[in-house]
Amino acid sequence: QVQLVEFGGGLVQTGGSLRLSCAASGNIFSVRTMAWYRQAPGKQRDLVATITSAGSTNYAASVKGRFTISRDNAKNTVYLQMNGLKPEDTAVYYCNADVVTVVGGASYYWGQGTQVTVSS
């Protein structure tokens, strides 16, 4: 079993900042690529950012220059620093991880989601 637990969501004014974190635990051998997604009501779940185990990153065009994804491999934790928040960033944010377990094989796991609301 692998669990991903998210923290850091909340309410913030336009232009404000938040930092999300997501920690993986359980029968983990290694964590490969980690990512953040977001989903607004009535919309699909969209990719926000990814980071490989080596630290290479990619971002959706809508968040480039404002969001930064990072990770702490010793803690099996991924972070999303969000600056210059806009109302259109309002969504439930989900972390995702590609995990190799101690019993072998690899699977994707999802966090429980955390609400980010940006007021105008």
Side-chain angles (χ1 to χ4, degrees):
Q1 287 188 340
V2 174
Q3 300 83 40
L4 274 62
V5 179
E6 302 178 27
F7 296 94
L11 286 72
V12 65
Q13 295 184 112
T14 298
S17 298
L18 286 172
R19 190 175 80 140
L20 307 182
S21 64
C22 173
S25 62
N27 299 321
I28 297 171
F29 178 77
S30 65
V31 180
R32 303 196 292 192
T33 298
M34 304 183 82
W36 288 97
Y37 290 75
R38 66 187 182 185
Q39 186 169 26
K43 296 186 177 181
Q44 67 180 358
R45 187 172 297 184
D46 292 328
L47 181 65
V48 175
T50 64
I51 183 166
T52 70
S53 59
S56 297
T57 60
N58 284 101
Y59 298 91
S62 59
V63 306
K64 286 181 180 177
R66 299 188 298 121
F67 290 10
T68 302
I69 188 171
S70 61
R71 64 191 288 168
D72 184 337
N73 290 334
K75 298 181 182 295
N76 290 325
T77 298
V78 63
Y79 305 93
L80 187 68
Q81 178 67 47
M82 304 183 292
N83 299 323
L85 284 163
K86 306 173 181 179
E88 49 263 46
D89 296 318
T90 296
V92 177
Y93 284 69
Y94 298 90
C95 63
N96 178 272
D98 181 8
V99 179
V100 180
T101 68
V102 296
V103 297
S107 298
Y108 289 95
Y109 295 88
W110 289 98
Q112 81 279 12
T114 185
Q115 177 72 47
V116 171
T117 302
V118 184
S119 64
S120 59

